[in-house]
Amino acid sequence: MNDFRLIMRNLFGSRSRFALTLVGITLGITALVVMISLGTGLRTQIDKQASDLGANLVVTPKGWCAYEQVKVLSGNQLPDAIPPEELVKIEAVEGIETLPYLTVGSAIENEPVPVTGILMADTVEMKRWSVEKGDVPTDGTPTILAGSSIAESFDLAPGDPVTLRGVEFTVAGLIAETGTRDDAVLFIPLDVAHEVYETDGRVSFVAIKVDDVSKVDLAAQRISDAANVAVVSDKQLLASVLSVVDSVGTTLRIIAAVAILTAAFGIVNTMLMATFERRRDIGILKSIGSSNARIFRLFLFEAGAYGFIGGVVGLIVGVIASRLITPYIASNEFTAFVGSATVDAIPPFSQMGLILLGSVVVAAVAGVYPAMRAARLTPVEAISYE
Amino acid sequence: MNSIMKVQGVHKTYNGRSVPTTALRGVNLEIEAGSFTCLVGPSGHGKSTLLHLLGGLDRPCEGSIEAFGQRLEHMSDAELARFRAHKVGFVFQFFNLLKGLTVAENVEVAMMFAGLPAKEQSKRAAELLESVGLGDKMKARANELSGGQMQRVAIARALANDPDVLLLDEPTGNLDTVSEGEVLGILDELHRQGRTIVMVTHGAEVAARAQRIVEVRDGRVSV
Ligand SMILES: Nc1ncnc2c1ncn2[C@@H]1O[C@H](COP(=O)(O)OP(=O)(O)OP(=O)(O)O)[C@@H](O)[C@H]1O
Ligand SMILES: [Mg+2]
């Protein structure tokens, strides 16, 4: 016999109570893992989107909030809010390259698909896309450059006809997989998009590449002086996007914290009941030579074991749940661009270790008071009566 | 005269939930090495209390208890625990086995508190259980045994760390005559081997086996 075995015997002595207590802490840890997975997934993906934008500055209509800025990265449909006269003024600013985007949408076989109007040659160059099949479309022709995943889901190949908004387009080329939201988008020449979508030359936003990276601030100043628009840097954009993610993350973390706190009280309750039910056993252990400190330790470790077992199970369930939940998260408009990236957005091992440690610590702390009660019990009373 | 335990002027008052109860009021007693002492007396007059104090399971309010040259009332909790683990073995009326453990594990736990390695624990537990006639019950759950068997396990457990004194509180109080005979037979044998025994009992026949009968009445001792 050793302490470990004795603790295990006590732990599994009452199986239903053990299971019920474990459910609490397991749920808490599962929630935490899912939250962190999704948070990490969002963050990595946003980072990637931002860097793939390939721009130093983004020009948006005035008064956009962070939520709308997220959409710049997500490729979702945005209002065509920058009029052509402003666009001309922006293009006139020196030392920058401008890439206007018109994000619209259409449907293929009754399924909504994102469509984006771009300056073909310039955008392909700036984004460093490699066109693996077919050619880059020529501006002015009703042709399509399709992202890899959307091409796959609709079985598109160069030469295929696609009808967008009642106009027949032809697939000109396919972009090699980028791992970003671009994979799910149909790109068409901007001038064609203006015509088909009757936008009078307005665009959704403009990506700006500053020739001299050290003069980004100056360029931003010049653009906002020249035109009636808002200018954000890629860093600001990232920051505001992350702030949105963080506010979502904070909510999720509070939920996880509440779940874990509830679980902790479950452990306090279970251990207090165990202290009460095992009064006699505690008395016996003392009568055969256990010190108070040893009793304290036995109970504390027993509580900690709930944290360890619940933590391990919670980690496993959490990782599985993260994978299962991802598709549903991806179908939400706001988080859509997380897409497949969440699959590898499982917390790193170091973080999992920390979660497990945290779980054990929380459980052990929950066990302190019951363990103190157990250690202080006077043995004489407990063992003297039937 | 070689006394291993010496009780002098011991008082014990329990601060119960409602009123304090004085269980012992000035007890003097000496226990000699290798002796077989029976504590008798009316119910509620302090026999169990005295036995618990002798074994360091509780502390006196006043007076001194010297055991094997050490003063129990001066010991810390941890020292008292070590004293209970190594020097004394308790047996109670209500058996007090750990019900969730097997028979062998019940004996081993006592050795665990004395710091014996696991391997030696199981070897010695087997020997002890064999000696009380329970060699075939080692793997049984403690709560699957009869009262007489439980009490024999309790004796094996009390002997686990080869204690200098065995303290028994009405060990046959809950047993039929056959089981009582078995238990008393084991105690006689232990006494013959030189073990010091202090036993609380109500039965006159049981007490007749002892070398020495001590009456506890009204919290005091008369020999
Ligand atoms: N833990 C306790 N708390 C309060 N009072 C107690 C406690 N234990 C014993 N007493 C009281 O102390 C007195 C002596 O009790 P003790 O158990 O020593 O008697 P006893 O001689 O062993 O009786 P019995 O033969 O019935 O076992 C009794 O009045 C009892 O009510
Ligand atoms: Mg008694």
Coordinates of all heavy atoms in Angstrom, one line a residue, chain A residues 1-3 5-6 9-10 15 280-292 294-295 298 378-386, chain B residues 14 17 52 57-58 77-78 81-82 84-85 90 92 94 96-102 105-106 108-110 112-113 118 121 157 161 174:
Chain A
M1 N 0.9 -1.2 0.0 CA 0.0 0.0 0.0 C 0.9 1.2 0.0 O 1.9 1.3 0.7 CB -0.9 0.0 1.3 CG -1.9 1.1 1.4 SD -3.0 1.3 0.0 CE -3.9 -0.2 0.1
N2 N 0.5 2.2 -0.8 CA 1.2 3.5 -0.7 C 0.1 4.6 -0.8 O -1.1 4.3 -1.1 CB 2.2 3.6 -1.8 CG 1.6 3.3 -3.2 OD1 0.5 3.8 -3.5 ND2 2.3 2.6 -4.0
D3 N 0.5 5.8 -0.6 CA -0.4 6.9 -0.6 C -1.2 7.0 -1.9 O -2.4 7.2 -1.9 CB 0.3 8.3 -0.4 CG 0.9 8.4 1.0 OD1 1.9 7.8 1.2 OD2 0.2 9.0 1.8
R5 N -2.1 4.7 -4.0 CA -3.1 3.6 -4.1 C -4.3 4.0 -3.2 O -5.5 3.8 -3.5 CB -2.6 2.3 -3.9 CG -2.3 1.5 -5.1 CD -1.7 0.2 -4.9 NE -2.6 -0.8 -4.3 CZ -2.1 -2.0 -3.8 NH1 -0.8 -2.2 -3.8 NH2 -2.9 -2.9 -3.3
L6 N -3.9 4.4 -2.0 CA -5.0 4.8 -1.1 C -5.8 5.9 -1.6 O -7.1 5.8 -1.5 CB -4.3 5.2 0.3 CG -5.2 5.4 1.5 CD1 -6.0 4.1 1.7 CD2 -4.5 5.8 2.7
R9 N -8.1 4.5 -4.3 CA -9.2 3.7 -3.7 C -10.3 4.6 -3.2 O -11.5 4.4 -3.4 CB -8.7 2.8 -2.5 CG -8.0 1.6 -3.0 CD -8.9 0.8 -3.8 NE -8.2 -0.4 -4.3 CZ -8.3 -1.6 -3.7 NH1 -8.9 -1.6 -2.5 NH2 -7.7 -2.6 -4.2
N10 N -9.9 5.7 -2.6 CA -10.9 6.7 -2.0 C -11.6 7.4 -3.2 O -12.8 7.6 -3.1 CB -10.2 7.7 -1.2 CG -9.8 7.1 0.2 OD1 -10.4 6.2 0.7 ND2 -8.7 7.7 0.8
R15 N -18.3 5.6 -7.2 CA -18.1 5.8 -8.6 C -19.0 6.9 -9.2 O -18.6 7.7 -10.0 CB -18.3 4.5 -9.3 CG -17.0 4.0 -9.9 CD -17.0 2.6 -10.3 NE -16.1 1.9 -9.4 CZ -15.9 0.6 -9.4 NH1 -16.6 -0.2 -10.2 NH2 -15.1 0.0 -8.6
R280 N -15.1 8.2 9.9 CA -14.6 7.0 10.6 C -13.3 6.6 10.0 O -12.4 6.3 10.8 CB -15.7 5.9 10.5 CG -15.2 4.6 11.1 CD -16.2 3.5 11.1 NE -17.3 3.7 12.0 CZ -17.4 3.3 13.2 NH1 -16.4 2.6 13.7 NH2 -18.4 3.5 14.0
D281 N -13.2 6.5 8.7 CA -12.0 6.1 8.0 C -10.8 7.1 8.4 O -9.7 6.6 8.7 CB -12.1 6.2 6.5 CG -12.9 5.0 6.0 OD1 -13.5 4.3 6.8 OD2 -13.0 4.8 4.7
I282 N -11.1 8.3 8.5 CA -10.1 9.3 9.0 C -9.6 9.0 10.4 O -8.4 8.9 10.7 CB -10.6 10.7 8.9 CG1 -10.9 11.1 7.4 CG2 -9.6 11.7 9.5 CD1 -11.8 12.3 7.2
G283 N -10.6 8.7 11.2 CA -10.3 8.3 12.6 C -9.4 7.0 12.7 O -8.4 7.0 13.4
I284 N -9.8 6.1 11.8 CA -9.0 4.8 11.8 C -7.6 5.1 11.3 O -6.6 4.6 12.0 CB -9.7 3.8 10.8 CG1 -11.1 3.4 11.3 CG2 -8.8 2.6 10.6 CD1 -11.9 2.6 10.3
L285 N -7.5 5.9 10.3 CA -6.1 6.1 9.7 C -5.3 6.8 10.8 O -4.1 6.5 11.0 CB -6.2 7.0 8.5 CG -6.8 6.4 7.2 CD1 -6.9 7.4 6.1 CD2 -5.9 5.2 6.8
K286 N -5.9 7.7 11.6 CA -5.1 8.4 12.6 C -4.8 7.4 13.7 O -3.7 7.4 14.3 CB -5.9 9.5 13.2 CG -6.0 10.7 12.3 CD -6.6 11.9 12.9 CE -6.6 13.1 11.9 NZ -7.3 14.3 12.5
S287 N -5.7 6.5 14.1 CA -5.4 5.6 15.1 C -4.3 4.6 14.8 O -3.6 4.1 15.6 CB -6.7 4.8 15.5 OG -6.9 3.8 14.6
I288 N -4.1 4.3 13.5 CA -3.0 3.4 13.1 C -1.8 4.2 12.7 O -0.8 3.6 12.2 CB -3.4 2.4 12.0 CG1 -3.9 3.1 10.7 CG2 -4.5 1.5 12.5 CD1 -4.2 2.2 9.6
G289 N -1.7 5.5 13.0 CA -0.5 6.2 12.9 C -0.4 7.3 11.8 O 0.7 7.8 11.5
S290 N -1.5 7.7 11.2 CA -1.4 8.8 10.3 C -1.4 10.1 11.0 O -2.2 10.3 12.0 CB -2.6 8.8 9.4 OG -2.6 10.0 8.6
S291 N -0.5 11.0 10.6 CA -0.5 12.4 11.2 C -1.6 13.2 10.6 O -2.1 12.8 9.5 CB 0.9 13.0 11.0 OG 1.1 13.2 9.6
N292 N -1.9 14.3 11.2 CA -2.9 15.2 10.6 C -2.4 15.7 9.3 O -3.2 15.9 8.3 CB -3.1 16.4 11.5 CG -3.7 16.0 12.8 OD1 -4.2 14.9 13.0 ND2 -3.8 16.9 13.8
R294 N -0.6 14.2 7.1 CA -0.7 13.2 6.1 C -2.2 13.1 5.6 O -2.4 13.0 4.4 CB -0.4 11.9 6.7 CG -0.3 10.7 5.7 CD 1.2 10.5 5.4 NE 1.4 9.3 4.6 CZ 2.3 8.4 4.8 NH1 3.1 8.6 5.9 NH2 2.5 7.4 4.0
I295 N -3.1 13.2 6.6 CA -4.5 13.2 6.2 C -4.8 14.4 5.3 O -5.5 14.3 4.2 CB -5.4 13.3 7.4 CG1 -5.2 12.1 8.3 CG2 -6.9 13.5 7.1 CD1 -5.9 10.8 7.8
L298 N -3.5 13.6 1.9 CA -4.3 12.6 1.2 C -5.5 13.3 0.5 O -5.9 13.0 -0.6 CB -4.7 11.5 2.1 CG -3.7 10.5 2.5 CD1 -4.2 9.6 3.6 CD2 -3.2 9.6 1.3
T378 N -11.3 15.0 15.2 CA -10.7 14.3 16.3 C -11.1 12.8 16.1 O -12.2 12.5 15.9 CB -11.3 14.8 17.7 OG1 -12.7 14.9 17.5 CG2 -10.7 16.1 18.0
P379 N -10.1 11.9 16.1 CA -10.4 10.5 15.8 C -11.3 9.8 16.8 O -12.1 9.0 16.4 CB -9.0 9.9 15.8 CG -8.1 10.8 16.6 CD -8.7 12.2 16.5
V380 N -11.1 10.2 18.1 CA -11.8 9.5 19.1 C -13.3 9.3 18.9 O -13.9 8.2 19.0 CB -11.5 10.1 20.5 CG1 -12.4 9.6 21.6 CG2 -10.1 10.0 20.8
E381 N -13.9 10.4 18.5 CA -15.4 10.4 18.4 C -15.8 9.5 17.2 O -16.8 8.8 17.3 CB -15.9 11.8 18.1 CG -17.2 12.1 18.7 CD -17.5 13.6 18.6 OE1 -16.6 14.4 18.7 OE2 -18.7 13.9 18.5
A382 N -15.0 9.6 16.1 CA -15.4 8.9 14.9 C -15.3 7.4 15.0 O -16.1 6.7 14.4 CB -14.5 9.4 13.7
I383 N -14.4 6.9 15.9 CA -14.2 5.5 15.9 C -14.9 4.8 17.1 O -14.9 3.6 17.3 CB -12.7 5.1 16.0 CG1 -12.0 5.8 17.2 CG2 -12.0 5.5 14.7 CD1 -10.6 5.5 17.4
S384 N -15.5 5.7 18.0 CA -16.0 5.1 19.2 C -17.4 4.5 19.1 O -17.8 3.7 20.0 CB -16.0 6.2 20.3 OG -14.7 6.6 20.6
Y385 N -18.2 4.9 18.1 CA -19.6 4.5 18.0 C -19.8 3.8 16.7 O -19.1 4.0 15.7 CB -20.5 5.7 18.2 CG -20.2 6.5 19.4 CD1 -19.4 7.7 19.2 CD2 -20.6 6.1 20.7 CE1 -19.1 8.4 20.3 CE2 -20.2 6.9 21.8 CZ -19.5 8.0 21.6 OH -19.1 8.8 22.7
E386 N -20.8 2.9 16.7 CA -21.1 2.2 15.5 C -21.8 3.1 14.5 O -22.6 3.9 14.8 CB -22.1 1.0 15.9 CG -22.5 0.2 14.7 CD -21.4 -0.7 14.2 OE1 -20.4 -0.1 13.5 OE2 -21.4 -1.9 14.4
Chain B
Y14 N -14.0 16.5 28.2 CA -14.5 16.7 26.8 C -15.3 18.0 26.7 O -16.2 18.2 27.5 CB -15.3 15.6 26.3 CG -14.5 14.3 26.1 CD1 -14.7 13.2 27.0 CD2 -13.6 14.1 25.1 CE1 -14.0 12.1 26.9 CE2 -12.9 12.9 24.9 CZ -13.1 11.9 25.8 OH -12.4 10.7 25.7
R17 N -20.6 19.5 22.7 CA -21.3 20.5 22.0 C -22.1 21.4 23.0 O -22.2 22.6 22.9 CB -22.2 19.9 20.9 CG -21.7 20.2 19.5 CD -22.0 19.1 18.6 NE -20.8 18.5 18.0 CZ -20.6 17.2 17.8 NH1 -21.4 16.3 18.3 NH2 -19.5 16.8 17.3
H52 N -7.5 5.5 25.2 CA -7.1 6.4 24.1 C -5.9 7.3 24.5 O -5.0 7.6 23.6 CB -8.3 7.3 23.7 CG -9.5 6.6 23.1 ND1 -10.8 7.0 23.2 CD2 -9.5 5.4 22.4 CE1 -11.5 6.1 22.6 NE2 -10.8 5.1 22.1
L57 N -3.9 8.8 21.2 CA -5.0 9.1 20.3 C -5.6 10.4 20.7 O -6.3 11.1 19.9 CB -6.0 8.0 20.2 CG -6.9 7.8 19.0 CD1 -6.0 7.8 17.7 CD2 -7.7 6.6 19.1
D58 N -5.4 10.8 21.9 CA -6.0 12.0 22.4 C -5.0 12.5 23.5 O -4.1 11.8 23.9 CB -7.4 11.8 23.1 CG -8.3 13.0 23.0 OD1 -7.8 14.1 22.7 OD2 -9.5 12.8 23.2
D77 N 1.8 16.9 17.1 CA 0.9 16.0 16.4 C 1.7 14.9 15.6 O 1.3 13.7 15.6 CB 0.1 16.8 15.4 CG -1.2 17.4 16.0 OD1 -1.6 16.9 17.1 OD2 -1.7 18.4 15.5
A78 N 2.7 15.3 14.9 CA 3.5 14.4 14.0 C 4.2 13.4 14.9 O 4.2 12.2 14.6 CB 4.5 15.2 13.2
A81 N 1.7 10.9 16.1 CA 1.3 10.0 15.0 C 2.4 8.9 14.9 O 2.1 7.7 14.7 CB 1.2 10.7 13.7
R82 N 3.7 9.3 15.0 CA 4.7 8.3 14.9 C 4.7 7.3 16.0 O 4.9 6.1 15.9 CB 6.1 9.1 14.8 CG 7.0 8.5 13.7 CD 8.2 9.4 13.6 NE 7.8 10.8 13.2 CZ 8.4 11.9 13.7 NH1 9.3 11.8 14.6 NH2 8.0 13.1 13.3
R84 N 2.0 6.4 17.6 CA 0.9 5.5 17.4 C 1.3 4.4 16.3 O 0.9 3.3 16.4 CB -0.4 6.2 16.9 CG -1.0 7.1 18.0 CD -2.4 7.5 17.5 NE -2.4 8.3 16.3 CZ -2.3 9.6 16.2 NH1 -2.2 10.3 17.3 NH2 -2.4 10.2 15.1
A85 N 2.0 4.9 15.3 CA 2.4 4.0 14.3 C 3.4 2.9 14.7 O 3.2 1.7 14.4 CB 3.0 4.7 13.1
F90 N -3.9 -0.5 18.2 CA -5.3 -0.4 18.7 C -6.2 -1.5 18.1 O -6.1 -1.8 16.9 CB -5.9 0.9 18.4 CG -5.5 2.1 19.3 CD1 -4.6 3.1 18.9 CD2 -6.1 2.1 20.6 CE1 -4.3 4.1 19.8 CE2 -5.8 3.2 21.4 CZ -4.9 4.2 21.0
F92 N -10.5 -2.1 18.3 CA -11.8 -1.5 18.9 C -12.9 -2.4 18.8 O -13.0 -3.4 18.1 CB -12.1 -0.2 18.0 CG -11.0 0.8 17.9 CD1 -10.2 0.8 16.8 CD2 -10.8 1.7 19.0 CE1 -9.2 1.8 16.8 CE2 -9.8 2.6 18.9 CZ -8.9 2.6 17.8
F94 N -15.9 -1.9 17.5 CA -16.6 -1.9 16.3 C -15.6 -2.1 15.1 O -15.7 -1.5 14.0 CB -17.4 -0.6 16.1 CG -18.4 -0.5 17.1 CD1 -18.3 0.5 18.1 CD2 -19.5 -1.3 17.2 CE1 -19.3 0.7 19.1 CE2 -20.5 -1.2 18.2 CZ -20.4 -0.2 19.1
N96 N -13.6 -1.3 13.1 CA -12.9 -0.2 12.5 C -11.9 -0.5 11.4 O -10.8 -0.1 11.4 CB -12.2 0.7 13.5 CG -13.2 1.6 14.2 OD1 -14.3 2.0 13.7 ND2 -13.0 2.0 15.5
L97 N -12.4 -1.4 10.5 CA -11.6 -1.6 9.3 C -11.9 -0.6 8.2 O -13.0 0.0 8.3 CB -11.8 -3.1 8.8 CG -11.5 -4.2 9.8 CD1 -11.8 -5.5 9.1 CD2 -10.1 -4.1 10.3
L98 N -11.0 -0.4 7.3 CA -11.3 0.4 6.1 C -12.1 -0.4 5.1 O -11.6 -1.3 4.5 CB -10.1 1.0 5.5 CG -9.3 1.9 6.5 CD1 -7.8 2.1 6.1 CD2 -10.0 3.2 6.6
K99 N -13.4 -0.1 5.0 CA -14.3 -1.0 4.3 C -14.0 -1.1 2.8 O -14.3 -2.1 2.1 CB -15.8 -0.6 4.5 CG -16.2 -0.7 6.0 CD -17.7 -0.9 6.1 CE -18.0 -1.4 7.5 NZ -17.9 -0.3 8.5
G100 N -13.5 0.0 2.2 CA -13.2 0.0 0.8 C -12.0 -0.8 0.4 O -11.8 -1.1 -0.8
L101 N -11.2 -1.2 1.4 CA -9.9 -1.9 1.1 C -10.1 -3.4 1.3 O -11.0 -3.9 2.0 CB -8.8 -1.4 2.0 CG -8.5 0.1 1.9 CD1 -7.3 0.4 2.7 CD2 -8.4 0.6 0.5
T102 N -9.1 -4.2 0.8 CA -9.1 -5.6 1.0 C -8.5 -5.9 2.4 O -8.0 -5.0 3.1 CB -8.2 -6.4 0.0 OG1 -6.9 -6.0 0.2 CG2 -8.6 -6.0 -1.4
E105 N -4.8 -5.2 2.5 CA -4.6 -3.8 2.4 C -4.8 -3.1 3.7 O -4.1 -2.1 4.1 CB -5.4 -3.1 1.3 CG -4.9 -3.4 -0.1 CD -5.9 -3.0 -1.2 OE1 -7.1 -2.8 -0.9 OE2 -5.4 -2.8 -2.3
N106 N -5.8 -3.5 4.5 CA -6.1 -3.0 5.8 C -4.8 -3.1 6.7 O -4.5 -2.2 7.5 CB -7.3 -3.7 6.4 CG -8.5 -2.9 6.2 OD1 -8.8 -1.9 7.0 ND2 -9.4 -3.3 5.3
E108 N -1.7 -3.6 5.5 CA -0.6 -2.9 4.9 C -0.6 -1.4 5.2 O 0.4 -0.8 5.3 CB -0.6 -3.1 3.4 CG -0.3 -4.5 3.0 CD -0.5 -4.8 1.5 OE1 -0.7 -3.8 0.8 OE2 -0.5 -6.0 1.1
V109 N -1.8 -0.8 5.2 CA -1.9 0.7 5.5 C -1.2 1.0 6.8 O -0.5 2.0 6.8 CB -3.4 1.1 5.5 CG1 -3.5 2.6 6.0 CG2 -4.0 1.0 4.2
A110 N -1.3 0.2 7.8 CA -0.7 0.5 9.1 C 0.8 0.5 8.9 O 1.5 1.3 9.5 CB -1.1 -0.5 10.1
M112 N 2.4 1.2 6.1 CA 2.7 2.3 5.3 C 3.0 3.5 6.2 O 3.9 4.3 5.9 CB 1.5 2.6 4.3 CG 1.5 4.0 3.6 SD 0.1 4.1 2.6 CE -0.6 5.6 3.3
F113 N 2.1 3.7 7.2 CA 2.4 4.8 8.1 C 3.6 4.7 8.9 O 4.2 5.7 9.4 CB 1.2 5.1 9.0 CG -0.1 5.5 8.3 CD1 -1.3 4.9 8.4 CD2 0.0 6.7 7.4 CE1 -2.4 5.3 7.7 CE2 -1.1 7.1 6.7 CZ -2.3 6.4 6.9
A118 N 6.7 -1.2 0.3 CA 5.5 -1.9 -0.2 C 5.7 -3.5 -0.2 O 4.9 -4.2 0.1 CB 5.0 -1.4 -1.5
Q121 N 5.7 -4.9 3.1 CA 4.3 -4.8 3.6 C 3.5 -6.1 3.3 O 2.9 -6.7 4.2 CB 3.6 -3.6 3.0 CG 4.0 -2.3 3.6 CD 3.3 -1.1 2.8 OE1 2.2 -1.4 2.3 NE2 3.9 0.0 2.8
R157 N -3.8 -6.2 12.1 CA -3.4 -4.8 11.8 C -2.7 -4.2 13.0 O -1.7 -3.4 12.8 CB -4.6 -4.0 11.4 CG -4.3 -2.6 11.0 CD -5.5 -1.8 10.6 NE -6.4 -1.6 11.7 CZ -7.6 -1.1 11.7 NH1 -8.1 -0.7 10.5 NH2 -8.4 -0.9 12.7
N161 N 3.1 -3.3 13.0 CA 4.4 -2.7 13.2 C 5.1 -3.2 14.5 O 5.9 -2.5 15.1 CB 4.2 -1.2 13.2 CG 3.7 -0.7 11.9 OD1 4.1 -1.1 10.8 ND2 2.6 0.1 12.0
N174 N -18.7 -7.3 20.5 CA -19.7 -7.5 19.4 C -19.6 -8.9 18.8 O -20.0 -9.1 17.7 CB -19.4 -6.5 18.3 CG -20.3 -5.3 18.5 OD1 -21.0 -5.2 19.5 ND2 -20.4 -4.5 17.5

